[in-house]
């Protein structure tokens, strides 16, 4: 007798309808039958965007963090404000600094042309984050898929749940612990700062007022970040290899060359010094732990089954 194969999404729906389960497991092959071209389409668009602007890789990676830390990995971060709806884009940690929305929109339009109404914006964020790291020479990991998109957002949670560049070590430990991460996983995820750039307004206080900073490093940054003005002037977070995803970030911390206060607190005579030492000397350990932590992040409270929706336009809830 011929074997009958159902698309995973349909199996999930049948189970939901039959026994009333309200969620389904994420899986790496969720779109293997329903949209087999989705992953390569997303990769091609990410590769193109990153080759045009290396910084975009960090921006797309950051989108997943800012999405998943606020009511779970549900693409709530992508929703625009409307006359009757307030999204998360104007939250303090997001306004004027979160980027990559145009790339996600381009990806979504390409995937919709392939498989209308199948691939969620939340899954696109997760895949694009992985592909961005790979495009910049970093590790790969198996992205779990099957998320659906929220119809809500939370400005207040975005303001309260996302740690900022002035965070102390205890703030970071607590923020990540609240999402189920260990301190070591927090240190591994902080390694995402091996790529990307930071605005002067977020590191000005550190380079003028903090003592645990290499003086030559501080002076070099002050040239592009005056005491007043130049708030949006940019500096690489990792000045050693700014466009390569590697473990130089941790070596910089050992040399007191962390750009943000929240970077240098990871290596400042406290409990996380040993983790920084490990990742600085063992790039493979960092790559493995980072990938595992990203998989864990991608599993934060996803909407699955019949929860949420598959947005047609990532910026707006379906009408």
């Amino acid at each position: 007798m011929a074997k009958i194969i159902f698309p995973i999404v349909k199996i999930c729906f049948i189970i939901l309808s039959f026994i009333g389960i309200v969620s389904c497991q994420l899986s790496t092959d969720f779109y293997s039958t329903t949209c087999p071209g989705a992953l390569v389409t997303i990769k091609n668009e990410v590769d193109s965007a990153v080759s045009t602007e290396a910084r975009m890789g960090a921006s797309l990676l950051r989108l997943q963090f800012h999405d998943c830390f606020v009511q779970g990995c549900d693409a709530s971060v992508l929703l625009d404000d409307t006359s009757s709806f307030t999204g998360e884009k104007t939250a303090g940690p997001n306004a004027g600094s979160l980027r990559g929305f145009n790339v996600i929109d381009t990806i979504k339009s390409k995937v919709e042309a392939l498989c209308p109404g199948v691939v969620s914006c939340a899954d696109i964020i997760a895949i694009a984050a992985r592909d961005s790291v790979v495009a910049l020479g970093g590790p790969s990991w198996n992205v779990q898929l099957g998320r659906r998109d929220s119809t809500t957002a939370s400005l207040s949670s975005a303001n309260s749940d996302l740690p900022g560049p002035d965070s102390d070590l205890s703030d970071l430990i607590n923020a990540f612990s609240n999402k189920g991460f260990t301190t070591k996983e927090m240190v591994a995820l902080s390694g995402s700062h091996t790529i990307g750039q930071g605005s002067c307004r977020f590191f000005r206080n550190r380079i003028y007022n903090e003592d645990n900073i290499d003086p030559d490093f501080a002076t070099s940054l002050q040239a592009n970040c005056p005491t007043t003005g130049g708030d949006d002037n940019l500096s690489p977070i990792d000045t050693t290899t700014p466009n390569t995803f590697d473990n130089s970030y941790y070596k910089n911390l050992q040399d007191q060359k962390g750009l943000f206060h929240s970077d240098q607190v990871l290596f400042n005579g406290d409990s996380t010094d040993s983790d920084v030492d490990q990742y600085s000397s063992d790039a493979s350990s960092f790559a493995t732990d980072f990938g595992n932590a990203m998989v864990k992040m991608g599993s934060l409270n996803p909407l699955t089954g019949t929860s949420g929706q598959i947005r047609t336009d990532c910026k707006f809830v379906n009408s």
Side-chain angles (χ1 to χ4, degrees), residues 245-297:
F245 196 99
D246 56 19
N247 66 337
S248 293
Y249 168 79
Y250 300 104
K251 297 177 183 179
N252 293 338
L253 298 185
Q254 291 175 319
D255 294 333
Q256 295 193 318
K257 294 180 180 179
L259 184 66
F260 300 133
H261 177 85
S262 59
D263 291 321
Q264 196 58 57
V265 295
L266 300 181
F267 192 82
N268 196 40
D270 216 318
S271 61
T272 53
D273 284 15
S274 59
D275 298 321
V276 171
D277 286 336
Q278 177 187 344
Y279 292 147
S280 173
S281 62
D282 189 347
S284 177
S285 173
F286 163 55
T288 298
D289 289 356
F290 182 83
N292 289 337
M294 287 298 295
V295 172
K296 184 172 179 177
M297 180 184 293

Side-chain angles (χ1 to χ4, degrees), residues 14 34 39 90 94 143 176 182 192 216 229 239 253 256 261 287 290:
I14 291 169
T34 56
L39 269 65
T90 57
N94 296 339
V143 179
F176 280 79
T182 66
S192 62
D216 293 334
T239 55
L253 298 185
Q256 295 193 318
H261 177 85
F290 182 83

Side-chain angles (χ1 to χ4, degrees), residues 3-30:
K3 183 183 292 185
I4 300 175
I5 300 176
F6 291 99
I8 293 174
V9 67
K10 291 184 179 179
I11 292 175
C12 185
F13 179 75
I14 291 169
I15 295 172
L16 281 163
S17 302
F18 187 67
I19 60 176
I21 296 175
V22 296
S23 66
C24 297
Q25 292 289 92
L26 301 180
S27 66
T28 57
D29 58 352
F30 190 83

Side-chain angles (χ1 to χ4, degrees), residues 145-219:
L145 301 169
R147 302 168 192 80
R148 288 167 63 85
D149 301 322
S150 69
T151 57
T152 62
S154 179
L155 180 67
S156 61
S157 293
N159 279 318
S160 64
D161 291 6
L162 290 163
D166 293 325
S167 296
D168 289 324
L169 182 59
S170 60
D171 299 324
L172 294 173
I173 291 173
N174 290 334
F176 280 79
S177 176
N178 288 339
K179 303 299 178 182
F181 291 98
T182 66
T183 298
K184 188 167 186 176
E185 287 171 332
M186 178 273 289
V187 177
L189 288 170
S190 295
S192 62
H193 281 184
T194 186
I195 54 175
Q197 300 184 48
S199 298
C200 166
R201 67 183 183 275
F202 295 130
F203 60 83
R204 175 184 285 119
N205 182 66
R206 170 158 167 71
I207 64 175
Y208 285 101
N209 298 313
E210 296 190 359
D211 296 327
N212 59 344
I213 186 169
D214 178 87
D216 293 334
F217 177 67
T219 299

